[in-house]
Amino acid sequence: MPALEENRQENLLRKMNEQGGFTTPDNYFDAMKSSIIAKTSGDKLTIYDHQGGFVVPELFFETQKNKILSKSTTSRAHKISLSYNQIILRVSSIAAMITIVGFLFLFENSSKSPDFTANISNEEIFNHLVKNDVSEDLICELLNRNKTNKNENDIEKYLYDNADEDLLMDNL
Amino acid sequence: MAGILNEQEVILLFRNESTKHNAFVQILDAFQKRVYWHVRRIVISHDDADDVTQNTFIKIWENLENFREDSKLYTWIFRIATNEALGYLNKKKSATTSSFGDYEHILSESLVAGSYFNGNAIELKLQQAILILPTKQRLVFNMKYYENMKYEDMEQVLGTSVGALKASYHHAVKKIEEFLKHD
């Protein structure tokens, strides 16, 4: 775009912007400016007063700031707690899925009569479980039916002790 | 746009548990208003902008420790804010039934009906013109026109090349001019 044309367009819009007299709510920005300048390096500060006609309620920014600070102090503990629970849940789910796949593998090999799983690979079953986000309840139910697998605790313990947490998360 | 804090100093303060809160307050003071207005121009509604701004700063609080200093703190913050705002907007769009018309039209109507817009006729018309733009052009126009952001910083925020951003801005200006001339 030629520079002249670009300048013409910008000037047209800029002129209109200046006519607008963008408003600010009840001296809020004056107070905010003082507050910010007191806490930051004023020479680098740019205050934008023109907001295209949008306004905010009185004392909105102070209220919002307090809300954010309140939430931020509580969010850390909440996040840690959630993350720990999620890790337990996910590691358990993976262990359960591995157990089911193992069970199906054993069942497939030991069964002499043909059945509906005969033509389905273990990998396909595993992918199906993961893709369809099979509920933990269902997995537990299946596990309870399958009392023949005595390695469940060993697998779970092994995952807890040795598996990389990020890798487990990525594989979910 | 110049940074308003010594970013490295603030990040170091944030990584120290005893000064973390103070560092966050400094970041909040420095960016709260700018983030709010940036978000407000995307989501239009004051209440929505309030929600998105709060979510943005909570994300900043939760992730600043992992901030990689290969980008500016300022552009990192605006990238989070932009993504939060666009995500919020998309959720609202998908929740809006088509019988009410397209969502931008609803936003445009809300400028007139809303209680937190008091611009004059020209400002209202300009905002309505901006709302006819595709999302990317709208973002670029607002960031250039209202926030005076450098294209290089915008590139970091939006992940789009400077050349493409300049083209977007050019097209946006053309469309706004057309709208103002003929509508």
Side-chain angles (χ1 to χ4, degrees):
Chain A
M1 176 172 51
L4 200 60
E5 173 67 6
E6 190 172 12
N7 287 339
R8 191 187 67 77
Q9 289 174 353
E10 288 207 23
N11 287 339
L12 181 68
L13 286 165
R14 192 69 61 192
K15 196 179 289 180
M16 190 165 59
N17 187 16
E18 286 166 2
Q19 286 173 354
F22 293 98
T23 57
T24 55
D26 300 335
N27 299 322
Y28 166 71
F29 291 129
D30 289 340
M32 184 57 135
K33 183 176 178 179
S34 304
S35 167
I36 293 172
I37 286 173
K39 292 175 181 172
T40 60
S41 51
D43 57 334
K44 292 179 181 172
L45 188 66
T46 307
I47 293 288
Y48 295 102
D49 290 321
H50 290 192
Q51 302 303 342
F54 293 117
V55 291
V56 294
E58 190 175 0
L59 299 175
F60 164 70
F61 286 107
E62 282 95 335
T63 311
Q64 188 190 55
K65 179 180 169 181
N66 291 334
K67 281 184 197 169
I68 292 168
L69 289 174
S70 161
K71 281 185 186 175
S72 67
T73 48
T74 55
S75 88
R76 182 92 182 138
H78 183 58
K79 190 188 174 195
I80 289 167
S81 159
L82 271 181
S83 297
Y84 180 74
N85 289 338
Q86 281 175 338
I87 288 166
I88 297 293
L89 179 67
R90 289 179 181 197
V91 168
S92 302
S93 299
I94 287 177
M97 282 186 192
I98 291 170
T99 307
I100 290 172
V101 171
F103 166 71
L104 290 172
F105 179 76
L106 288 172
F107 180 76
E108 187 182 353
N109 285 347
S110 63
S111 175
K112 291 180 180 175
S113 59
D115 68 297
F116 70 97
T117 61
N119 295 323
I120 305 171
S121 72
N122 291 330
E123 190 183 356
E124 283 174 312
I125 293 167
F126 184 77
N127 287 338
H128 176 78
L129 291 171
V130 174
K131 278 182 188 168
N132 290 285
D133 195 19
V134 175
S135 76
E136 198 188 14
D137 291 345
L138 178 61
I139 291 168
C140 290
E141 192 185 331
L142 289 169
L143 273 175
N144 287 335
R145 287 181 195 168
N146 174 22
K147 298 294 184 186
T148 59
N149 191 340
K150 300 188 190 307
N151 292 327
E152 182 193 341
N153 289 336
D154 293 340
I155 293 169
E156 213 165 336
K157 185 172 184 308
Y158 177 81
L159 282 167
Y160 273 114
D161 293 343
N162 298 292
D164 177 62
E165 183 185 315
D166 290 334
L167 183 63
L168 289 174
M169 295 297 190
D170 290 340
N171 284 323
L172 273 176
Chain B
M1 186 186 296
I4 61 169
L5 294 171
N6 183 331
E7 294 189 357
Q8 285 184 332
E9 194 178 307
V10 168
I11 291 163
L12 280 175
L13 288 172
F14 190 85
R15 286 175 180 159
N16 181 335
E17 206 54 45
S18 64
T19 51
K20 182 173 184 169
H21 180 76
N22 181 44
F24 184 66
V25 171
Q26 284 189 54
I27 291 168
L28 194 53
D29 284 340
F31 291 105
Q32 179 195 6
K33 194 178 73 174
R34 282 198 282 172
V35 165
Y36 169 84
W37 287 120
H38 175 72
V39 167
R40 176 80 186 269
R41 289 186 201 99
I42 300 172
V43 300
I44 302 298
S45 151
H46 164 71
D47 291 334
D48 291 348
D50 186 17
D51 286 346
V52 173
T53 304
Q54 288 186 46
N55 292 342
T56 299
F57 278 100
I58 297 306
K59 285 209 167 173
I60 290 166
W61 168 265
E62 290 176 346
N63 295 292
L64 188 59
E65 276 181 29
N66 304 320
F67 171 68
R68 291 178 305 164
E69 292 167 46
D70 51 1
S71 64
K72 290 182 192 173
L73 178 63
Y74 152 69
T75 56
W76 182 75
I77 287 173
F78 271 74
R79 192 163 67 237
I80 293 173
T82 305
N83 290 340
E84 283 289 310
L86 291 178
Y88 195 94
L89 205 57
N90 285 336
K91 275 186 200 165
K92 294 271 276 195
K93 274 185 190 178
S94 59
T96 307
T97 57
S98 58
S99 58
F100 291 107
D102 65 274
Y103 191 68
E104 282 70 21
H105 180 71
I106 295 170
L107 290 179
S108 186
E109 292 292 315
S110 75
L111 286 172
V112 184
S115 54
Y116 292 121
F117 185 85
N118 73 349
N120 60 26
I122 295 169
E123 289 160 349
L124 177 61
K125 200 153 187 174
L126 177 57
Q127 286 302 326
Q128 287 172 332
I130 293 170
L131 280 168
I132 65 162
L133 299 173
T135 305
K136 194 64 165 277
Q137 286 178 22
R138 188 151 74 91
L139 284 172
V140 173
F141 181 82
N142 282 334
M143 290 161 91
K144 187 70 186 160
Y145 181 62
Y146 286 113
E147 298 165 35
N148 203 24
M149 193 181 284
K150 288 177 187 168
Y151 284 117
E152 289 73 18
D153 290 341
M154 231 186 281
E155 183 180 27
Q156 296 293 315
V157 175
L158 299 177
T160 306
S161 71
V162 169
L165 292 169
K166 285 181 178 176
S168 283
Y169 184 71
H170 170 70
H171 288 302
V173 171
K174 281 279 191 196
K175 284 180 189 172
I176 289 170
E177 276 193 333
E178 285 302 310
F179 181 90
L180 295 174
K181 276 179 197 166
H182 298 112
D183 217 56

